[in-house]
Amino acid sequence: MIRPVIGMSMVRREDDRQLAGLGRFVEDVTHPGQLYAIFVRSTQAHAELIAVDTSSAASAPGVVQVLTGKDLSEIGALKPQWALATALTAGRPVLAREKVRHVGEPVAVVIAESEAQAIDAVAQVVVSYKALPSVLDQDEAMLATAPQIHDHIQSNHSGSFTRGTDDVDEILAKAHFVHTIELVNQRLVPSPLEGRAINARIDPLDGRLEIYVGHQLPHLFRRSVSEVLGVEENQIRVISPDVGGGFGAKMHFYPEDMVVAYAAITLKRPVKWSERRLEGRYATSHGRDHKTTITVGADVDGRIQALKLHSRANLGAYMSSMGGGVPTINVALFVLGTYNIPAAWVKIDCIYTNTTPTDAYRGAGRPEASYMIERTIDLLAREMGLDPFEVRARNLIEPKALPMRQVTGANLDSGDYQRVLSRAQQILKESDPVECPKGWLRGEGISFYTETCGVGPGELQSLVGFDRGGYESARVVIGSDASVTVLSGAHSHGQGHKTVFAQIAADALGIEFEKINVIQGDTDRVPQGVGTFNSRSIPVGGTAVREACDRLREKMRLIACSILRISVDALIEQDGGFGVVGEDRSISISEVCREAWIGHKSRQAGIGLEETEFFHPRAMSAPYGAHIVRVDVDPRTGEICLRDYIAVDDCGTVINPLLARGQVHGGVAQGLGQALFEDGTSDEFGFLPEDLPLPRFDHMPRLNTEHVEIPTWTNPLGAKGLGEAGTIAAPSALVNAVQDALWPIGVRNLEMPLTPERVLSAIDSAEVSK
């Protein structure tokens, strides 16, 4: 009896191996003759490079090679893979040449027999700088007096992106209530458990370039190496083994990757580099860093009539891989959330500064957009003396209006927003909170988020300068013993693909879950693919698996008919095989699979059971949800205590409820981390704080999660995507809750992170203004 598998809470296959310490990461890979790379990094935010003296380091014990920017002059700067046509781009040099433009920029690399020898030799590299004025803030960078970071980009302004309607000012002028808000979405610094790492060599067996790298997009990594270093793709094998967390930061292409691959080619020896935690803070692209001004107008009942938004995005010193599209497309299109706002005008300015480049990270633009609209609607309601929950309900798009294209250009596919909001409110009402401590203040806040998932379709991507595919690949092979191998172009870095893709295949094929193996992360075994980001694994990668399996199931039916010598109309499907209508004859799936690879009785169906699908969606799905936080705030100390967190999400078809719940939990932890602790703002010299706090498990509140399943029509699985839900929803939900607690004592605005110092400062400012 084959169990139904889609919708089952199955434990992750991956966990036993990981929990037993048997995971294999790049750091675990060491080849004979292994060399180690350590980078010399800029200590200046902005300076001319006068000289890089490597003579002492080059003669240090164990040192094999020292490279500077001059040595790599034939390698061009890394180009962004998502840049608007009108954007002025500044690619990232693999090693700085005439200038350094942010602290931590790689200036030279030392390659030695041991890592310790490389570290010692790095200390002997002498870099002479001529300091230049620097600018770290995007608003200051646009001033006429600001230092020029790139000679060809005036005012450090990469470009503007605008969306919306032309009647916003006129509508705002006539609105019953108008309110203007200033928001900051602070800079975040990635901190995955495993830092970035790469180990490249020329394979002694076939002479090809073999690269182990912890990466979310192995196939695009191969393409980038090919394009930058001029090595043909079929001469490159990229293997991404276990990946200790990515969250977007490991889908970009970095200078260190290209330098290590280049060194391995030229030295003809394996070269490994593993990022140190401190250097990763400067070398790995950051996230967020938006400053936003929003004006909103509403009628007497709080129904929004128009919204005007101007955001200034900090690109950092260079335009990173997706650095041009994330702050523009991914923000501007989605700032209206799930609300029916008839008029809107959005402008995003992208500005270079002397900071680490920013890029896609933990939601990639959608958290910024959600924060903008959810803080706006909350503050609008409070300023009007209305209930924030009720104002949201009045502005939500009705189910009958879906699918809908908003005035900013976002397409929302399906859903019942009011139903999800009502369910979240019901859970809140039925909850039994602990008593609020004496002297503390209680608050409840909500965020009603949406995002779009899947990246595709490619035709639209080309219009916005997105130089990556929107499809995903799946190759499914059923062996003669009915064992199944699924080879997917998606690549897990903690999502549980080996479990959920096997569930999808088992459901489609009628073959036991335990007989299905999933392979990812090796470009020799999976020749083509796109990879994992934008919550696309299930809607796109999972659908590719489903489509390939559906065709194989149909072929199995034809083979069964050939063996049983019946027409398709006479075939009935049974558990574990096929039968004949009205007869006591049947054949097992195992017998069908064996015959498929022999071909004695099934010539018409063709030899074998093997299918490849490149699923290319025609539209993106738009999951959504209501997240509610209950907090207590001590106005004497600024301490915030999280009491309850309620999440009701519609991600369409849920393949594995256990994993879906875990995805929400992880995302919520990330989102709460941004709201409470994290801040990647550097000091005046461009250096980050020594201690970058992160949330711990004991910071997490009680989580109550549910799913409302309204399948999307954008893919046959009906799945909408989920991975980024919590990190999008949680920041605004928490800040709105704290705002609710402090509103009665006059606090009118708060900015993340809500450290005790900031909370106390907001309270003090409110008391002064009374």
Side-chain angles (χ1 to χ4, degrees):
M1 180 76 179
I2 298 174
R3 296 168 292 170
V5 283
I6 284 190
M8 280 191 65
S9 288
M10 305 182 78
V11 175
R12 298 197 331 166
R13 292 173 152 185
E14 299 88 336
D15 289 352
D16 286 347
R17 186 171 61 86
Q18 299 281 5
L19 291 172
L22 300 176
R24 189 169 189 250
F25 301 85
V26 173
E27 183 62 26
D28 297 318
V29 178
T30 301
H31 300 296
Q34 185 72 63
L35 298 173
Y36 298 85
I38 298 292
F39 286 83
V40 178
R41 298 188 178 278
S42 171
T43 58
Q44 302 287 317
H46 195 197
E48 291 182 16
L49 270 181
I50 304 302
V52 182
D53 184 354
T54 63
S55 55
S56 179
S59 59
V63 170
V64 175
Q65 189 177 50
V66 183
L67 297 171
T68 68
K70 291 181 179 177
D71 300 314
L72 302 180
S73 57
E74 74 269 27
I75 301 176
L78 302 184
K79 298 177 181 177
Q81 296 181 335
W82 194 4
L84 303 179
T86 56
L88 297 175
T89 62
R92 215 166 171 172
V94 292
L95 292 174
R97 292 168 194 163
E98 298 168 352
K99 268 188 176 183
V100 292
R101 295 181 173 87
H102 70 90
V103 171
E105 184 170 357
V107 174
V109 62
V110 174
I111 299 166
E113 298 286 350
S114 74
E115 195 170 47
Q117 289 171 325
I119 291 172
D120 288 344
V122 159
Q124 299 180 45
V125 176
V126 180
V127 184
S128 301
Y129 299 101
K130 179 184 178 183
L132 298 171
S134 61
V135 60
L136 310 172
D137 177 271
Q138 57 267 53
D139 284 347
E140 295 176 6
M142 286 196 295
L143 299 175
T145 55
Q148 186 86 5
I149 299 173
H150 300 280
D151 294 340
H152 67 293
I153 300 175
Q154 297 299 313
S155 302
N156 302 310
H157 189 220
S158 171
S160 300
F161 181 70
T162 59
R163 302 290 294 177
T165 57
D166 297 329
D167 54 352
V168 169
D169 287 333
E170 182 180 350
I171 296 173
L172 286 174
K174 298 177 182 177
H176 169 77
F177 189 87
V178 176
H179 187 56
T180 297
I181 302 155
E182 300 285 344
L183 295 174
V184 176
N185 212 303
Q186 81 270 33
R187 178 174 285 243
L188 301 180
V189 179
S191 300
L193 280 174
E194 178 204 25
R196 291 194 292 120
I198 178 172
N199 192 346
R201 68 167 182 171
I202 300 299
D203 189 326
L205 297 179
D206 61 14
R208 299 161 68 216
L209 177 61
E210 178 192 82
I211 301 174
Y212 281 85
V213 60
H215 208 270
Q216 298 170 228
L217 319 175
H219 301 88
L220 287 176
F221 189 93
R222 178 182 62 184
R223 190 187 81 178
S224 290
V225 172
S226 174
E227 291 175 348
V228 173
L229 300 183
V231 182
E232 292 179 344
E233 279 198 21
N234 66 2
Q235 297 302 307
I236 303 171
R237 180 183 188 183
V238 175
I239 303 167
S240 184
D242 289 322
V243 181
F247 313 110
K250 289 182 183 172
M251 69 169 169
H252 312 313
F253 304 97
Y254 292 97
E256 296 85 356
D257 300 330
M258 301 304 160
V259 172
V260 168
Y262 173 87
I265 294 171
T266 55
L267 292 171
K268 294 182 171 51
R269 289 183 63 181
V271 181
K272 182 196 286 189
W273 171 72
S274 298
E275 177 184 79
R276 269 43 190 170
R277 186 64 70 185
L278 183 59
E279 74 174 334
R281 292 177 181 174
Y282 298 95
T284 296
S285 294
H286 295 173
R288 316 279 196 269
D289 207 342
H290 274 255
K291 291 185 173 183
T292 308
T293 305
I294 306 169
T295 300
V296 60
D299 67 13
V300 67
D301 296 320
R303 291 185 174 84
I304 297 175
Q305 296 172 310
L307 180 145
K308 185 174 184 178
L309 183 149
H310 178 210
S311 195
R312 290 85 67 200
N314 190 336
L315 297 181
Y318 305 101
M319 186 175 286
S320 184
S321 299
M322 295 173 66
V326 167
T328 52
I329 301 293
N330 276 13
V331 174
L333 268 63
F334 306 113
V335 293
L336 302 186
T338 52
Y339 305 110
N340 188 11
I341 300 175
W345 185 84
V346 180
K347 179 182 180 183
I348 312 285
D349 282 313
C350 296
I351 303 120
Y352 293 101
T353 64
N354 293 116
T355 59
T356 293
T358 55
D359 208 320
Y361 179 55
R362 282 162 52 179
R366 283 78 52 81
E368 294 92 311
S370 181
Y371 189 76
M372 293 170 188
I373 185 63
E374 289 302 308
R375 291 287 289 133
T376 297
I377 201 166
D378 214 78
L379 289 167
L380 171 72
R382 295 185 191 283
E383 291 289 350
M384 295 184 71
L386 301 174
D387 178 3
F389 286 72
E390 180 59 30
V391 169
R392 282 179 172 80
R394 291 172 184 171
N395 283 282
L396 285 174
I397 298 168
E398 296 182 2
K400 63 184 179 184
L402 298 172
M404 179 181 189
R405 181 179 175 85
Q406 294 176 300
V407 295
T408 54
N411 291 304
L412 306 178
D413 61 304
S414 61
D416 188 339
Y417 303 146
Q418 184 60 60
R419 175 182 164 190
V420 168
L421 176 62
S422 297
R423 179 57 190 152
Q425 288 181 282
Q426 183 183 1
I427 296 172
L428 177 69
K429 185 178 179 181
E430 294 172 353
S431 65
D432 184 19
V434 298
E435 187 175 348
C436 182
K438 186 177 181 181
W440 290 51
L441 300 168
R442 172 151 292 177
E444 294 168 351
I446 182 174
S447 170
F448 203 101
Y449 79 96
T450 189
E451 58 170 325
T452 54
C453 298
V455 175
E459 296 84 355
L460 292 180
Q461 292 173 8
S462 68
L463 295 177
V464 296
F466 192 79
D467 189 26
R468 297 178 180 176
Y471 65 90
E472 192 50 271
S473 71
R475 178 175 168 233
V476 181
V477 183
I478 307 178
S480 61
D481 60 350
S483 64
V484 181
T485 302
V486 175
L487 301 106
S488 170
H491 183 40
S492 175
H493 46 285
Q495 288 84 356
H497 290 178
K498 285 182 176 292
T499 304
V500 291
F501 284 4
Q503 287 184 255
I504 293 168
D507 186 80
L509 296 171
I511 293 177
E512 293 91 334
F513 170 81
E514 292 77 10
K515 298 188 72 169
I516 298 171
N517 185 34
V518 177
I519 294 173
Q520 301 180 315
D522 184 337
T523 58
D524 269 14
R525 303 179 76 182
V526 184
Q528 298 295 339
V530 175
T532 297
F533 59 106
N534 191 226
S535 301
R536 66 193 305 272
S537 292
I538 295 296
V540 187
T543 299
V545 174
R546 179 63 189 236
E547 293 285 274
C549 289
D550 282 348
R551 292 202 294 273
L552 285 170
R553 182 71 181 181
E554 188 58 31
K555 188 172 182 180
M556 291 163 65
R557 288 169 51 87
L558 295 176
I559 294 171
C561 288
S562 296
I563 297 172
L564 294 169
R565 296 181 179 277
I566 59 174
S567 67
V568 173
D569 294 339
L571 189 75
I572 55 173
E573 298 197 13
Q574 302 172 336
D575 284 343
F578 303 92
V580 183
V581 176
E583 297 183 24
D584 188 20
R585 290 196 295 144
S586 65
I587 186 170
S588 69
I589 285 179
S590 295
E591 291 173 289
V592 170
C593 295
R594 194 169 191 281
E595 166 58 25
W597 289 102
I598 296 175
H600 290 175
K601 302 174 183 177
S602 55
R603 174 179 292 273
Q604 192 171 1
I607 295 295
L609 287 170
E610 180 175 335
E611 284 286 347
T612 298
E613 167 70 14
F614 290 90
F615 179 68
H616 194 181
R618 295 190 176 279
M620 299 174 74
S621 57
Y624 60 93
H627 288 215
I628 299 176
V629 188
R630 177 184 284 132
V631 300
D632 292 331
V633 183
D634 187 345
R636 297 158 299 189
T637 65
E639 180 183 357
I640 298 169
C641 183
L642 305 178
R643 297 300 184 189
D644 294 283
Y645 194 104
I646 297 162
V648 180
D649 296 280
D650 175 13
C651 64
T653 303
V654 177
I655 307 299
N656 185 322
L658 178 64
L659 269 65
R661 193 159 61 244
Q663 292 238 320
V664 173
H665 287 189
V668 167
Q670 295 255 11
L672 296 180
Q674 177 179 1
L676 289 173
F677 306 112
E678 298 175 69
D679 190 354
T681 304
S682 54
D683 65 17
E684 60 183 308
F685 304 106
F687 288 90
L688 293 165
E690 291 187 2
D691 181 24
L692 290 173
L694 298 170
R696 301 190 309 262
F697 75 94
D698 57 343
H699 289 131
M700 291 294 289
R702 183 170 55 190
L703 293 169
N704 190 335
T705 63
E706 280 192 13
H707 288 276
V708 172
E709 294 188 50
I710 299 177
T712 178
W713 48 264
T714 62
N715 63 72
L717 270 181
K720 296 177 178 176
L722 180 65
E724 296 154 305
T727 197
I728 295 173
S732 49
L734 176 56
V735 177
N736 286 339
V738 176
Q739 184 76 75
D740 182 50
L742 301 180
W743 192 265
I745 61 173
V747 173
R748 289 295 177 264
N749 205 355
L750 293 163
E751 294 294 356
M752 300 183 292
L754 296 175
T755 61
E757 294 80 5
R758 284 201 175 189
V759 173
L760 284 179
S761 176
I763 293 172
D764 291 343
S765 298
E767 290 176 348
V768 169
S769 63
K770 284 181 180 177

